[in-house]
């Protein structure tokens, strides 16, 4: 007879030995793996065993049943606990009590179920009372067990959600009867009665007797924990944090230790160093004579380990500090622990890597390197500093006390989508022009521009405001995109806001605000507050951008600088910025940008909208040329500023991209009744002709309309003017002794013939300008890859284009057939129902858009081996997308200035995790 | 010394021998190849030589210079002509005269240049006079030569386009002076003077003397022909007919023969059989004592070969008929020839396969098979019957006499884009509802629906009209698409029309028309006529659709039927139809459709727009469900009709696709001021609420918005209702004993999760309905592939989908990032400037969209080996696209009913040309 090797489902730990260890999180969950690990390295852990996540998978794949061998395995593991603890489960003399806890690969605090004190019944409780010499403790433990088991396993709470909790009700009645304030004040007799009443309530509700048999209790608890993996709140949590439903949870069964046994017992939680700002030193909370749940319940005020434990329990205090050091040394990271002190002895119930703020993450990673615990490469591990969290070091923040006060005072108005990080406050302003005017009158004015949505004409008003708040739009809306580029605090899609431009009011939750009223917005969280909440700038921002702080004196800056040094040593991907002005370029360089990946020339155009409109209304080439000629000096001077600011770094300039109706549409004529008359006067046409021409510009799907190179092809004069402006600026700046590397980018190319048409015009201008000025400038002509055809035909296009830049905003829209202006109607539903794994406008859709990018990279490099390829979509600042770009061999990513450090860190993390 | 093998540039023919032949069209052009071929098979061809197209390529690649060896080669070939013709070029006794003609691979009639009578000067003209005994002939030849050479080589005509032609002016003066009507009436003396005057004019204009040296004349002529390859009209012609600029032209230099030598000489053109309707028998036009150019110039009335040549020149007549038979037997196709009779002897100057109408193409192909000249497979050669031309057999046509009369009377109003083939006339009607009402009052009413553009609500009005004429929109506009599907005559984009709905008038070219005035439209040509032009139905349509004619009595039908029998024997690709109604389905079956590839359920929805609007306005699932439930019986009955009509053939039903605002938008509310009130009453909401909800439906880019499966996912009730309607209908029809094969198609899927979401709903309904009815129906659930992501991720999607159907309309829009509603602003420019090879909405963009299709086919079949894949975009009826679909291994194409025979023929041609 042959026997198949049985799968191992149950892993014991105790007595300094363990079947598992820290590397086995996938099988044992985080808690189980670390209980085993702590046992192995000699730390005091109550004996126990872990039922693997494989059983959870089996459980759901097989109609909520267990593998056949599980019962025997659990029995064997139980025996080991009994041996290690010197007590017996269900024994009427020396009963062993057990806890049963969930434990997934990733911590999901509070989402799943726990049952404590398993093994108590009317006989074992007596033994416990006798053994502990504390009848009140024994019956309180019994009372807690019946209540917890009733709620979690027998689902008393969920049977009828509308009714009051029967247990809590009985407890209240009892406390009133005995005249005590806390549960802990109840007498043993009262507790005995409560247990009887609880059991009666259970019988009445469920029709069944409470299970007295300890083994039945244990299996009931195990089943409840597995079931809780699929409860609603756990599913919502996993969706939010991207945890796959397939992972499953493990179940940890462990001998009980009691912090509520006596006054030399306690329960507590702690961190091996501070996780808010990252300062070293053990800190935590504890309660004397209490169970763990009491510490987190917040009924009794906890005490601080670092303040009073040394006096309360000196031996336990020393032991905890010692354990903290052992753990940090062993895990090479800050630990978040749970402990129980039973009659003065410390027991460890949990350890895990601690969650921390971005501030703390950077400090701790740098400190651990300096303490010799890890090397710089390990400091870059994305687990230690999620690249996005670096943001927190760069943005002004709400003063934590002021924010807590605002919360407490109920000043939180609503929550939108956090689109531009940072915090700020200011006076409500509904119109961009007003914001600009107020700013011009007083450069220090604190304004929040509040709009239903923003449009390109609002640019200067947005620049003038401290923050932007919109009622509509998503994380990729105009407001969000521009704010991130400008580094403005921004919240979009705060749909509860009711904005009435006419009345000049904003209403939310029954409150109404007028222009000039103060509000505060937190771009980290999306929260909008009434009144002002004071802020403070981050130290890093002070040094890097405002050049205000002294870099030598700022510890935060020094650690940031140290980290970024390691970042640049490890990354291979270049990081550029999307910038349209010298100011943005300078900021980006301060943040470490190595070039401009996208300069959008149309942003400059919005400053000279009269000339653009004249050009649009022209009916002959001659009139058009005349209007365009007026724009040349403006463009040239804009480019000169940019080239100077970039000091020889490459600058990718995209030729005009948006459809002409962005500059002149029926909406413009409606909003400004005088405009048609002005335009008629300017062009010598009738107002009717103006209206007709503007009507003719209307498009059903502007995203797929007459824009990008399609403009430059039909109106070659525009391309010629832009190419000339770029090259005249380049030659002028070069003459000043500053090196220039313009990369002229043709947008929206789908066909090689489109590229060649535009390239010819660009090169003709470039050669002419260089001949005129006698300057020689190295320039390149390349293209955006932003429609699927360009990716599929990249081999053809690369025969002409000298570089590619993936425009993943438009590529996502076209590849998915989803307009980011219109996806509000379904994207929320899609995310909630797991139809898309991410918002594809935040993180690249790896399979679809990413698949096209791969085809584009392979095709492009098949025709031009050394083709320089970058990305200039908003995704260039998203860490997961940066990692993807690294993996498919791009040369650089380009993102808004304030995301440059994040992209640098993400690029280093991609390189490190690949190596 | 080694010598590289010299490229052969010059190919001689004459004396029954030739260097080239008919297979060498690429090198020799069509004319040159066939002159060589005719020489080889013993036909009388004046000796000559062809300079290959390779020289043309060389000429343009090398700054308009010739290969070094060319001069020697031409000299050698010239000697051969002299030998064959017994005359000498430039000889003062017995001068050889030459012609110099262009000749490209594909015939480009009249686009390039020709020079005749080369070799004449003041001395040779005397010799010619002496030799011919006809001084007037000699000097007329000289006069013609100087004029032609002056125009073509010395560019006299183009020097100043505004002035009158100097030669024509001098000629007129001379004719007046001599008092004669025709050029041919001029005296030798007068012609002598004219030659002198012509030369003086040339000297005056160009500053140079007219070249007297025959060899200079020849090289001048050769250069002019090569140059004419790149003249404007030749480039426009090539663009229109898809002839690559790279091909180049050959140059044919040939001994002159003269039809203007005497009264036993003549020039003529002919066809070896009729090419208008295809009747057998030689026919042609000739002129006695004339040069070839006189025949086509139309100054003298030509005579018909078949009517009078037998009497004028019996021997030449017999010889021509004999030559015609030899040519047809040799070329196995109808020939279009040019000939000269010189002193009674027939000389052949040209032969080529004749162009023919669709009618003639079918008749000739079938006749040639019956005559044993070709086999059925060869009859399917696309060169013989371009699949598109089959159209002409299926559509009513203008009575040719009536149309000629209308033309002559100047009743042609304007020309639009020919969008729906056929011809019709009727009363102008501006509103779809009026058309419907008039039709309901009188089913025989002849109406032309004239609109600025059409929308889905116009459907019933379009059905009621005989033809549709729109001022806007292109070949893929709503009007064009629906017309083709309905088989309606249709012209779109007739931009000169000025339609005023309020006034009820249509103006064009200064004429104004009222509602009820008659117009006629020709959907083959895009022509719009004033008044009625009578039409006649094609015989095939009579038999196939109207079941009116007797199939046994219609020769045209019998040949069509014979051809389609061969078609079905050879093709491997199935052909389905896009149809939404039983009537369309029946028509399509008559045309040979093997199933429905696309039934658009929304077309049914427009007939029940009240219920749809109720559904749209619903705010709760319950209210929505109630509205949807009302639609169920309508949909079910629609599907029942369709299933019955299709008699067991597969029927692909696409679930609801368009965005909801197509059913209810702000435009609807504006156009019908009472509507908001009605909707408010229906739903119990305020009018303000109605407006707000409708405003909320607005989308910036509806093409990329909340539509397709995104609707069914957010509103699963709609999908469930449609699936139930389909399956209830299927079960009911099956119960009647008719087999049913529904294929339920989920639109706009990009993610597998989208498909699975909808599939689950569909299958649940299907199983429920089958359980309720006790019927078992075989059904499939599949998806459209119409966004690039679906093609790129086809391997994932095919794990769920049982079939794919490429929606190439939307796939083209998304892959190219081009909205077909908005591409009017640049597509004309793009076509003119060769930026796109075709209109991508008419013929699949093979590299881009086709590339994605290939990826989709490969990906899909990698997951599901036998995946059934079709295409249901408009491209399914385009022959070039059908060929592509065959080449990438699709199972079927689906197209509008009237294009089914064309798709069948194209499919057969694809199979034949591949084999």
């Amino acid at each position: 007879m042959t026997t198949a090797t049985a799968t191992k489902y149950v892993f014991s730990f105790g007595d300094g030995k363990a079947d598992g260890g820290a590397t086995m999180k996938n099988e044992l969950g985080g808690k189980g793996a670390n209980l085993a690990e702590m046992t192995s390295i000699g730390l005091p852990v109550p004996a126990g065993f872990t039922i693997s996540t494989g059983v959870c998978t089996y459980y759901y794949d097989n109609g909520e049943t267990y593998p056949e061998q599980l019962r025997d395995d659990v029995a064997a593991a139980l025996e080991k606990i009994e041996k290690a603890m010197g007590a017996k489960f269900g024994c009427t003399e020396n009963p062993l009590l057990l806890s049963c806890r969930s434990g997934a690969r990733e911590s999901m605090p509070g989402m799943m179920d726990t049952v404590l004190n398993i093994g108590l019944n009317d006989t074992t409780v007596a033994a416990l009372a006798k053994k502990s010499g504390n009848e009140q403790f024994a019956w309180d433990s019994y009372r807690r067990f019946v209540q917890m088991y009733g709620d979690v396993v027998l689902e008393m709470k969920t049977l009828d959600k509308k009714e009051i909790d029967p247990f809590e009700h009985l407890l209240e009645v009892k406390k009133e009867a005995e005249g005590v304030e806390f549960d802990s004040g109840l007498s043993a007799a009262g507790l005995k009665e409560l247990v009887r009443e609880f059991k009666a309530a259970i019988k009445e509700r469920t029709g069944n007797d409470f299970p007295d048999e300890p083994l039945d209790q244990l299996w009931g608890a195990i089943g409840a924990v597995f079931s809780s993996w699929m409860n609603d709140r756990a599913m919502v949590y996993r969706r939010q944090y991207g945890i796959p439903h397939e992972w499953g949870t493990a179940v940890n069964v462990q001998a009980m230790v009691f912090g509520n046994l006596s006054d030399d017992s306690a329960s507590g939680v702690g961190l091996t160093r501070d996780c808010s700002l990252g300062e070293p030193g053990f800190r935590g909370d504890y309660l004397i004579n209490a169970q763990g749940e009491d510490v987190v319940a917040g009924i009794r005020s906890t005490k601080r380990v670092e303040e009073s434990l040394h006096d309360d329990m000196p031996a336990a205090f020393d032991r905890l500090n010692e354990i903290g050091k052992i753990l940090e040394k062993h895990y090479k990271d800050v630990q978040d622990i749970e402990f129980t002190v039973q009659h003065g002895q410390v027991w460890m119930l949990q350890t895990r890597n601690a969650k921390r703020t971005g501030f703390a993450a950077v400090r701790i990673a740098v400190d651990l390197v300096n303490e010799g615990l890890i090397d710089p490469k390990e400091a870059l591990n994305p687990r230690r500093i999620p690249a996005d969290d670096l943001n927190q070091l760069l943005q002004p923040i709400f003063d934590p006390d002021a924010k807590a006060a605002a919360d407490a005072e109920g000043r939180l108005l609503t929550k939108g989508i956090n689109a531009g990080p940072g915090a700020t406050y200011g006076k409500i302003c509904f119109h961009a022009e007003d914001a600009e005017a107020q700013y011009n009158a007083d450069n220090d004015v604190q304004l929040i521009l509040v709009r239903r949505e923003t449009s390109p004409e609002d640019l200067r008003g947005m620049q003038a405001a401290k923050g932007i708040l919109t009622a509509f739009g998503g994380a990729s809306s105009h407001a969000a995109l521009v704010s991130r580029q400008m580094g403005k605090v921004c919240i979009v899609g705060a749909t509860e806001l009711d904005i009435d431009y006419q009345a000049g009011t904003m209403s939310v939750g029954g409150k109404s605000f007028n222009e000039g009223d103060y509000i505060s917005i937190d771009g980290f969280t999306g929260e909008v507050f009434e009144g002002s909440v004071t802020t403070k700038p981050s130290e890093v921002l002070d040094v890097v951008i405002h050049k205000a702080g002294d870099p030598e004196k700022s510890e935060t800056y020094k650690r940031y600088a140290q980290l970024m040094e390691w970042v640049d040593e490890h990354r291979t991907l270049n990081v550029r910025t999307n910038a349209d002005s010298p100011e943005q370029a300078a900021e980006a360089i301060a943040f470490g940008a190595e070039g401009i990946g996208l300069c959008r020339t149309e942003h400059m155009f919005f400053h000279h909208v009269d000339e653009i409109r004249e050009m649009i209304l022209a009916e002959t080439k001659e009139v058009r040329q005349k209007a365009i000629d007026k724009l040349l000096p403006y463009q040239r001077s804009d480019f000169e500023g940019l080239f100077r600011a970039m000091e020889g770094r490459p600058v990718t300039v995209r030729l005009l991209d948006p459809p002409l109706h962005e500059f002149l549409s029926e909406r413009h004529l409606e909003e400004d009744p005088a405009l048609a008359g002005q335009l008629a006067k300017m062009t010598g046409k009738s107002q009717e002709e103006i209206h007709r021409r503007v009507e003719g510009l209307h498009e059903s799907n502007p995203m797929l309309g007459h824009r990008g190179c399609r403009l430059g092809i039909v109106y070659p004069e525009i391309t010629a003017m832009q190419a000339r402006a770029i090259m005249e600026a380049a030659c002028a700046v070069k003459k000043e002794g500053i090196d220039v590397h313009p990369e002229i980018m043709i947008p929206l190319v789908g066909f090689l013939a489109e590229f060649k048409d535009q390239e010819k015009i660009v090169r003709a201008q470039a050669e002419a300008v260089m001949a005129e000025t006698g300057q020689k400038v190295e320039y390149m002509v390349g293209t955006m890859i932003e429609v699927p055809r360009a990716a599929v035909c990249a081999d053809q296009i690369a025969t002409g284009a000298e570089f590619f830049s993936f425009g993943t905003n438009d590529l996502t829209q076209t590849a998915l057939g989803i307009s980011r202006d219109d996806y509000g109607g379904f994207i929320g539903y899609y995310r909630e129902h797991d139809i898309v794994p991410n918002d594809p406008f935040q993180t690249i859709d790896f399979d679809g858009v990413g698949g096209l990018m791969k085809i584009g990279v392979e095709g492009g490099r098949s025709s031009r081996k050394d083709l320089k390829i970058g990305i200039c979509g908003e995704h260039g600042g998203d860490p997961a997308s940066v990692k993807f770009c690294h993996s498919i061999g791009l040369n650089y990513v380009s993102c808004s200035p304030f995301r440059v450090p994040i992209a640098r860190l993400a690029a280093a993390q991609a390189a490190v995790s690949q190596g």
Side-chain angles (χ1 to χ4, degrees), chain A:
Chain A
M1 197 180 115
T2 42
T3 331
T5 314
T7 313
K8 187 164 173 68
Y9 286 125
V10 174
F11 296 76
S12 290
F13 53 87
D15 256 350
K17 288 189 299 285
D19 296 342
T23 57
M24 295 176 65
K25 277 193 184 165
N26 292 2
E27 296 83 17
L28 305 184
K31 184 192 291 273
N34 283 327
L35 285 171
E37 187 77 12
M38 287 195 291
T39 304
S40 296
I41 64 171
L43 293 182
V45 176
F49 61 84
T50 303
I51 306 175
S52 76
T53 56
V55 175
C56 188
T57 308
Y58 184 103
Y59 181 77
Y60 284 107
D61 287 350
N62 293 278
E64 313 203 349
T65 61
Y66 299 114
E68 218 186 302
Q69 70 188 82
L70 191 68
R71 233 155 232 281
D72 291 347
D73 292 354
V74 164
L78 193 52
E79 260 180 55
K80 285 193 196 170
I81 303 180
E82 289 172 337
K83 210 175 140 207
M85 302 303 289
K88 229 175 144 54
F89 190 53
C91 173
T92 52
E93 306 277 316
N94 182 19
L96 171 70
L97 299 189
L98 297 173
S99 65
C100 183
R101 292 183 174 92
S102 64
R105 274 202 228 182
E106 294 269 345
S107 166
M108 294 169 53
M111 294 301 124
M112 288 181 291
D113 290 333
T114 296
V115 184
L116 302 179
N117 302 336
I118 302 165
L120 282 174
N121 55 29
D122 292 348
T123 48
T124 54
V125 72
L128 183 66
K130 194 172 162 197
K131 189 181 155 201
S132 65
N134 185 339
E135 199 185 9
Q136 199 262 355
F137 153 75
W139 279 99
D140 187 46
S141 299
Y142 195 14
R143 187 272 303 172
R144 287 173 189 254
F145 168 59
V146 175
Q147 182 169 359
M148 217 171 204
Y149 197 93
D151 281 344
V152 168
V153 185
L154 306 177
E155 300 182 328
M156 286 290 284
K157 258 191 185 157
T158 58
L159 282 179
D160 188 340
K161 284 177 185 171
K162 281 177 200 155
E163 271 189 44
I164 41 163
D165 182 329
F167 299 135
E168 285 302 327
H169 174 69
L170 291 169
L171 198 57
E172 282 309 311
V173 170
K174 191 64 64 192
K175 283 196 284 187
E176 218 164 286
E178 295 204 0
V180 297
E181 188 182 356
F182 297 113
D183 302 0
S184 54
L186 287 170
S187 67
L191 289 164
K192 265 187 213 179
E193 284 169 25
L194 260 185
V195 168
R196 205 178 51 240
E197 287 162 18
F198 280 8
K199 288 186 172 179
I202 288 168
K203 172 81 181 176
E204 190 194 326
R205 286 292 182 95
T206 69
N208 296 318
D209 287 322
F210 186 85
D212 281 334
E213 177 53 48
L215 220 48
D216 291 346
Q217 294 172 357
L218 177 59
W219 282 102
I222 291 171
V225 172
F226 279 133
S227 295
S228 67
W229 174 253
M230 286 294 184
N231 72 30
D232 281 350
R233 63 177 194 275
M235 293 197 8
V236 168
Y237 183 92
R238 285 199 293 274
R239 205 167 286 133
Q240 188 171 354
Y241 290 92
I243 301 173
H245 300 316
E246 300 79 46
W247 280 3
T249 183
V251 172
N252 298 291
V253 176
Q254 200 177 8
M256 287 294 301
V257 287
F258 298 97
N260 58 342
L261 197 55
S262 55
D263 281 344
D264 63 348
S265 299
S267 289
V269 295
L271 294 167
T272 58
R273 66 180 79 193
D274 170 65
C275 285
S276 170
L277 294 168
E279 280 167 31
F282 189 96
R283 51 207 69 207
D285 301 289
Y286 69 99
L287 273 177
I288 289 183
N289 199 357
Q291 269 200 337
E293 52 176 338
D294 302 328
V295 178
V296 287
I299 297 169
R300 286 163 58 192
S301 297
T302 57
K303 299 168 89 173
R304 307 282 305 160
V305 171
E306 62 275 26
E307 286 166 3
S308 54
L309 189 63
H310 186 266
D311 298 330
D312 288 345
M313 299 176 179
F317 177 77
D318 290 346
R319 179 67 172 139
L320 267 178
N321 270 295
E322 182 195 9
I323 289 173
K325 291 212 175 67
I326 293 170
L327 284 172
E328 279 202 351
K329 200 158 180 181
H330 185 73
Y331 284 101
K332 300 180 188 307
D333 203 355
V334 184
Q335 296 298 297
D336 170 353
I337 65 166
E338 288 176 28
F339 61 90
T340 291
V341 184
Q342 178 172 288
H343 288 315
Q345 191 194 342
V346 174
W347 290 94
M348 296 297 294
L349 299 182
Q350 161 110 317
T351 191
R352 58 186 173 196
N353 293 333
K355 308 213 166 186
R356 64 210 78 176
T357 68
F359 283 96
V362 172
R363 169 156 192 177
I364 290 167
V366 175
D367 284 357
L368 291 183
V369 173
N370 293 338
E371 290 167 25
L373 283 176
I374 59 174
D375 62 15
K377 190 175 159 182
E378 173 56 27
L380 297 176
N381 190 321
R383 188 180 54 74
R384 293 183 180 272
I385 317 175
D388 253 335
D389 289 0
L390 198 59
N391 221 349
Q392 296 175 27
L393 267 73
L394 307 176
Q395 296 297 337
I397 53 174
F398 277 142
D399 183 289
D401 297 337
K403 181 168 174 177
D407 265 327
E409 291 158 15
R411 282 159 53 199
L412 178 64
L413 293 174
T414 186
K415 223 175 143 177
I417 301 169
N418 50 335
T424 192
Y425 63 91
K427 290 187 282 184
I428 294 173
C429 179
F430 291 115
H431 300 283
E433 312 88 79
D434 296 349
E436 199 186 340
Q438 290 189 56
Y439 177 82
N440 288 340
D442 170 12
N443 280 358
D444 292 329
V445 69
Q446 286 273 142
L447 295 176
I448 308 286
L449 183 64
V450 178
R451 302 278 307 162
R452 289 146 81 98
E453 57 197 325
T454 64
S455 76
E457 297 118 276
D458 298 332
L459 276 181
R460 285 193 286 197
M462 293 169 81
Q463 187 73 61
K466 297 292 175 203
I468 290 128
L469 170 62
T470 73
F472 302 111
S476 292
S477 63
H478 177 266
L481 193 150
V482 172
S483 300
R484 278 201 290 276
Q485 176 145 338
M486 290 181 172
K488 293 279 170 198
V489 181
C490 177
I491 296 173
V492 296
T495 49
E496 290 177 338
L497 296 185
D498 188 357
I499 298 168
D500 186 335
Y501 290 136
Q502 264 72 42
T505 59
M506 166 186 106
S507 312
V508 55
K511 292 181 182 173
S512 182
F513 298 86
N514 296 314
E515 190 123 24
D517 287 348
Y518 273 90
I519 55 170
S520 304
I521 58 178
D522 188 335
F524 294 118
T525 61
E527 289 164 311
V528 182
F529 292 94
E530 184 176 357
S532 35
V533 180
T534 47
T535 62
K536 51 182 220 177
S538 86
E539 284 177 43
V540 172
L541 206 66
D542 255 3
V543 175
V544 172
I545 297 298
H546 306 312
K547 318 281 180 197
D550 176 353
E552 287 310 306
K553 283 188 183 151
S554 165
E555 292 301 323
T556 306
Y557 171 74
K558 281 198 280 188
R559 277 187 290 264
Y560 163 82
Q562 174 63 73
L563 179 74
M564 295 316 280
E565 207 180 299
W566 296 332
V567 157
D568 290 345
E569 276 164 21
H570 284 88
R571 76 187 159 93
T572 56
L573 197 62
N574 284 337
V575 176
R576 296 193 186 183
T577 192
N578 299 350
D580 312 334
S581 71
E583 296 72 29
Q584 284 173 8
E587 280 179 2
I589 291 173
F591 281 136
E594 296 162 301
I596 287 180
L598 177 61
C599 164
R600 299 181 182 89
T601 52
E602 58 269 21
H603 283 192
M604 303 173 173
F605 274 37
F606 282 105
H607 296 180
H608 305 287
V609 78
D610 277 354
E611 289 82 359
I612 302 286
R613 287 172 175 170
E614 201 178 331
M615 174 192 93
I616 293 172
L617 293 168
E619 276 175 10
T620 65
K621 206 180 157 107
E622 288 67 33
V623 178
R624 191 179 311 121
Q625 187 70 57
K626 239 181 76 189
I628 290 172
D629 287 345
K630 292 189 199 163
L631 289 163
L632 177 68
Y634 299 125
Q635 289 246 301
R636 183 179 51 222
S637 117
D638 283 337
F639 292 131
E640 283 178 4
L642 213 54
F643 290 143
R644 278 191 206 103
M646 291 309 289
E647 299 172 318
R649 294 175 184 85
V651 176
T652 306
V653 182
R654 179 178 71 181
L655 301 184
L656 186 65
D657 184 57
L660 297 182
H661 50 76
E662 284 208 7
F663 303 98
L664 183 57
S665 67
E666 287 165 298
R667 189 172 57 81
H668 290 104
L669 295 181
E670 278 166 28
E671 287 186 0
D672 180 357
L675 182 58
Q678 289 161 13
L679 293 173
K681 202 172 156 196
M682 177 168 79
T683 58
K685 293 176 193 293
S686 72
Q687 289 202 30
E688 211 188 319
E689 282 172 309
I690 301 290
H691 277 284
R692 209 161 38 228
R693 170 71 180 137
V694 170
E695 204 183 328
L697 290 173
H698 174 79
E699 295 187 312
S700 305
N701 293 288
M703 170 65 211
L704 309 176
H706 194 180
R707 49 174 287 247
C709 68
R710 298 163 195 168
L711 285 174
I713 289 173
V714 176
Y715 306 114
E717 312 82 62
I718 303 177
T719 302
M721 180 278 286
Q722 293 202 295
R724 172 163 282 273
I726 294 165
M727 293 304 292
E728 285 184 356
C731 289
V733 171
K734 179 111 187 211
K735 206 168 183 177
E736 296 168 9
I738 301 170
D739 202 14
V740 276
H741 291 283
E743 301 179 345
I744 300 174
M745 183 155 74
I746 317 294
L748 212 70
V749 163
F751 294 82
L752 173 61
E754 292 178 315
F755 177 80
K756 286 199 151 175
D757 176 289
Q758 294 290 283
E759 184 200 17
K760 198 172 157 187
I761 298 170
V762 169
R763 292 206 185 273
Q765 290 295 328
E767 297 308 320
V769 170
M770 291 194 292
E772 290 161 21
T773 59
Q775 292 290 325
K776 178 92 195 141
V777 167
E778 275 177 33
Y779 71 99
M780 297 173 85
V781 189
T783 184
M784 299 272 280
I785 302 291
E786 52 184 335
V787 297
R789 191 187 200 278
V792 173
C793 299
D795 54 339
Q796 295 171 15
I797 292 170
T799 62
E802 291 178 300
F803 64 87
F804 280 0
S805 178
F806 284 104
T808 47
N809 295 351
D810 282 5
L811 191 60
T812 300
Q813 300 197 75
T814 48
L816 273 52
I818 292 179
S819 158
R820 66 176 176 183
D821 293 323
D822 302 311
Y823 81 148
F826 55 93
I827 191 67
Y829 190 98
Y830 267 46
R831 292 287 296 116
E832 271 166 36
H833 292 76
D834 293 319
I835 288 171
V836 288
N838 294 295
D839 181 335
F841 293 106
Q842 290 186 347
T843 296
I844 288 173
D845 157 38
F846 301 126
D847 291 348
V849 175
L852 282 168
M853 290 173 74
K854 275 188 213 164
I855 292 171
V857 169
E858 280 161 26
R861 295 227 171 104
S862 76
S863 296
R864 195 183 285 264
K865 217 175 116 246
D866 299 324
L867 187 71
K868 191 197 274 193
I869 309 182
I871 174 178
C872 62
E874 276 289 294
H875 300 97
D878 168 67
S881 305
V882 171
K883 187 174 175 188
F884 177 78
C885 292
H886 175 91
S887 77
I888 62 168
L890 297 203
N891 300 93
Y892 68 84
V893 297
S894 186
C895 56
S896 53
F898 274 62
R899 292 200 74 82
V900 166
I902 293 157
R904 284 162 70 200
L905 176 55
Q909 292 180 333
V912 164
S913 71
Q914 197 186 44

